[in-house]
Amino acid sequence: TALVAIFCFRLDFLPRPTGPHHIGTTVFTVVDENRPEIFTSGDHPRTLTVQVWYPTTAIQGPTEPYVRDAKAFAGVLDAVRLPHATLGYLSLAQTHALTDAPIAEGSFPVVFVLTGNLGYRQSNTVQVEELVSRGFAVIGIDQPGTVSSALLEDGRRIPYGGSTVVRPLVDQSIDPVSPAPTLDGVSYPDGIADYLAQDPRVVLDRLASGDLPGGLPTEIAERLDLKQVGAFGLSLGGLTTSQWCATDQRVKACAMLDAPMSRTASQRGLDVPALWITRPAEDMRAENWPEHEVTRYAEGQHALYEANRAPAWYLTAAGRKHADLSDAPYGNQLLALAGMTSAGKDEETHDVIRFATTDFFEHTLAGRTDTGVLEDAPWEDVEVTARP
């Protein structure tokens, strides 16, 4: 199976970024001593493996692999009953980033990318690299328990919490029920949206405090513009983005990709520029999603868009599947044959999500004023509506 996957997924599968900046990246650890880790036994603080991508002037150096951890896909492969070796080769796949390269001179707006259920911090590298090439710093986090597999700096591995555990906690964050779901005997009446949103919050706290996380060079931290912070995420990452944007005034712009909205965000609404990237309800039904999931995604996103108290944009890309909005489809015929992605749509879909997220954050965080947001979208099957 692994050999088949290698032939179906090129090692240089990521599209080349179009911006003028080269890309550097480094990995560091943030420990939240005030919050326990709920997805593992024992008395451990919440510990996050964090990766930052940033502009660099370096043109030579070690190339960052797509993932550093060959077991990063363990949870999702278990879910679809494939051997772990199937995607292990992705630890050899190439990105356009140089490992531990020096950061370029200047100050760079910061965009957090938040991870979907059974994802990994690099799962939207196609958007990350485009943003960095155009002058942003991007921060991704492995969120233990909800990512496919989280490897910590001390060698501990926290596996995916399991769908029977994670799904009820996520559902409770959207449509609460009574009695509330529990985890290790603890009840979660509000679900786990805020627990997950505290992950980017504590990373931002540490960066802003000057008490730098272990492994993060001072010169990188000093060039992050923490007054211009945005966030985006796909699926559960989009739900977490909605929660964080609704509860932290430091987040100045947020983009949510094909995601249910948290109950808190739906009730409070958003006060910052926001972008939704999604698909028509009929495309969700075509993937055999249950009707209540279609309602959560399609109606929940659009309702929050309509209620937004700042400029908002709603992009609908027809004829796509959920995983198309991640790195998954690019060049991988195996995923298309398995029905997870849309055959023949990969290049255009990645052009759409690269263009949309970059254009949105350039206007909302980087001060671009020469055009309107998304006014140059050139695709026939992509519809954009806007609320000024």
Side-chain angles (χ1 to χ4, degrees), residues 102-321:
I103 191 168
E105 295 289 335
S107 180
F108 306 107
V110 176
V111 177
F112 282 75
V113 54
L114 302 176
T115 306
N117 188 41
L118 281 170
Y120 49 102
R121 66 179 184 268
Q122 306 94 336
S123 58
N124 281 71
T125 298
V126 64
Q127 291 157 286
V128 168
E129 291 193 338
E130 184 68 14
L131 282 164
V132 177
S133 79
R134 293 180 174 272
F136 293 85
V138 180
I139 295 174
I141 306 169
D142 274 342
Q143 298 185 270
T146 58
V147 295
S148 180
S149 180
L151 179 62
L152 306 185
E153 184 182 43
D154 62 7
R156 285 186 298 128
R157 183 178 296 279
I158 301 178
Y160 177 60
S163 60
T164 59
V165 172
V166 174
R167 188 58 178 268
L169 294 171
V170 172
D171 289 348
Q172 189 73 7
S173 304
I174 307 166
D175 298 314
V177 297
S178 183
T182 61
L183 177 58
D184 290 336
V186 177
S187 177
Y188 287 84
D190 298 317
I192 60 166
D194 200 60
Y195 183 82
L196 296 176
Q198 286 181 60
D199 290 339
R201 188 180 297 131
V202 75
V203 174
L204 184 54
D205 288 345
R206 289 292 298 277
L207 293 172
S209 72
D211 179 18
L212 295 185
L216 178 65
T218 302
E219 58 268 25
I220 293 178
E222 290 177 343
R223 292 177 187 159
L224 304 180
D225 184 356
L226 301 182
K227 294 182 179 179
Q228 297 296 333
V229 173
F232 78 95
L234 168 65
S235 198
L236 177 58
L239 182 148
T240 305
T241 298
S242 74
Q243 178 77 14
W244 190 32
C245 288
T247 56
D248 192 335
Q249 295 182 348
R250 296 174 297 178
V251 187
K252 305 301 183 183
C254 54
M256 290 142 289
L257 283 65
D258 216 31
M261 301 293 94
S262 79
R263 183 168 182 256
T264 299
S266 297
Q267 289 181 334
R268 296 186 182 182
L270 302 179
D271 294 303
V272 297
L275 166 68
W276 285 263
I277 300 175
T278 189
R279 306 168 297 134
E282 53 265 30
D283 287 344
M284 299 176 188
R285 294 186 181 103
E287 286 192 86
N288 297 316
W289 285 20
E291 195 61 30
H292 73 276
E293 286 292 312
V294 175
T295 299
R296 280 180 178 174
Y297 280 69
E299 295 184 8
Q301 292 176 114
H302 202 265
L304 193 53
Y305 159 75
E306 289 288 350
N308 206 57
R309 293 183 290 270
W313 295 265
Y314 200 88
L315 185 155
T316 305
R320 271 80 175 181
K321 296 186 177 182

Side-chain angles (χ1 to χ4, degrees), residues 335-373:
L335 293 179
L337 289 171
M340 294 177 63
T341 62
S342 303
K345 285 283 190 180
D346 48 9
E347 185 171 352
E348 182 181 281
T349 300
H350 283 141
D351 283 347
V352 170
I353 61 176
R354 286 199 299 171
F355 170 82
T357 49
T358 302
D359 196 64
F360 171 71
F361 287 120
E362 282 183 334
H363 283 85
T364 56
L365 296 181
R368 181 180 174 186
T369 58
D370 59 318
T371 62
V373 176

Side-chain angles (χ1 to χ4, degrees), residues 31-37 44-46 195 198 202 205-206:
V31 180
D32 185 357
E33 298 287 356
N34 297 317
R35 195 161 46 115
E37 175 54 65
H44 297 288
R46 181 73 163 173
Y195 183 82
Q198 286 181 60
V202 75
D205 288 345
R206 289 292 298 277

Side-chain angles (χ1 to χ4, degrees), residues 56 78 81 170 269 384:
T56 181
D78 287 342
R81 299 181 180 180
V170 172
V384 178

